[in-house]
């Protein structure tokens, strides 16, 4: 499946926002004197999981927009949501279990796509009214 330009563009925005959020988190850990390799590794990998989750959402939306059967499209979206939540739950379990990951630094980046979308809405880069169909998907 070829990645549509809109999915590329929005994923790039989310990746940039997530990277900025992770950088701020690193600065907070450093200011508290708690920055070490576990924070760096947890933050980078957590950010990658967050961006991957958003990309998978975009791919699912891209795929179901071409689906003629609305019921099948809805089921595909629900399945995608369940699998993406499972992926994030597994990531959190790993983050808590593995001694070389700081669990807070691994968990916080999962919130960054939502923060990025909120900032984009506040700055006018993303308008809810223009993309009503995508809005509900972004907020999942």
């Amino acid at each position: 499946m070829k990645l549509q330009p809109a999915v590329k563009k929005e994923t790039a925005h989310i990746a940039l926002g997530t990277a900025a959020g992770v950088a701020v988190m690193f600065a907070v850990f450093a200011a508290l004197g708690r920055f070490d390799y576990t924070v760096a590794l947890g933050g980078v990998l957590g950010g990658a999981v967050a961006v991957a989750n958003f990309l998978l959402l975009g791919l699912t939306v891209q795929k179901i927009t071409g689906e003629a059967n609305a019921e099948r499209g809805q089921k595909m979206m629900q399945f995608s949501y369940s699998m993406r939540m499972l992926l994030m739950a597994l990531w959190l379990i790993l983050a808590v279990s593995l001694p070389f990951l700081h669990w807070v630094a691994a968990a916080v980046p999962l919130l960054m796509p939502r923060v990025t979308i909120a900032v984009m809405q506040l700055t006018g880069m993303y308008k809810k009214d223009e993309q009503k169909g995508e809005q509900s998907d972004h907020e999942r």
Side-chain angles (χ1 to χ4, degrees), residues 60-61 63-81 137 140:
T60 302
V61 170
K63 185 174 181 177
I64 66 171
T65 55
E67 182 64 45
N69 184 339
E71 185 178 327
R72 178 175 154 85
Q74 183 179 5
K75 286 182 180 180
M76 288 170 59
M77 194 68 197
Q78 289 171 342
F79 179 75
S80 168
Y81 177 77
D137 296 329
R140 287 191 175 190

Side-chain angles (χ1 to χ4, degrees), residues 5 10 31 33 35 42 57 59 64-65 82 89 95 107 111-112 114 118-119 124 127 129-133 138:
E10 295 304 322
F35 188 84
L57 168 65
L59 288 171
I64 66 171
T65 55
S82 297
L111 304 172
M112 294 304 159
R114 273 187 197 259
V119 169
K127 294 179 179 64
D129 297 335
E130 289 178 6
Q131 301 175 358
K132 284 186 179 177
H138 283 301

Side-chain angles (χ1 to χ4, degrees), residues 10-79:
E10 295 304 322
T11 302
H13 286 152
I14 295 301
L16 183 62
T18 299
V22 169
V24 169
M25 178 187 72
F26 286 168
V28 170
F29 270 95
L32 295 172
R34 301 285 186 173
F35 188 84
D36 62 8
Y37 79 95
T38 64
V39 172
L41 194 56
V44 168
L45 293 177
V49 169
V51 173
N53 178 49
F54 188 84
L55 177 60
L56 291 172
L57 168 65
L59 288 171
T60 302
V61 170
Q62 177 179 310
K63 185 174 181 177
I64 66 171
T65 55
E67 182 64 45
N69 184 339
E71 185 178 327
R72 178 175 154 85
Q74 183 179 5
K75 286 182 180 180
M76 288 170 59
M77 194 68 197
Q78 289 171 342
F79 179 75

Side-chain angles (χ1 to χ4, degrees), residues 112-128:
M112 294 304 159
R114 273 187 197 259
V115 172
T116 302
I117 291 166
V119 169
M120 289 171 65
Q121 288 172 342
L122 289 172
T123 60
M125 288 180 63
Y126 174 78
K127 294 179 179 64
K128 283 185 177 184

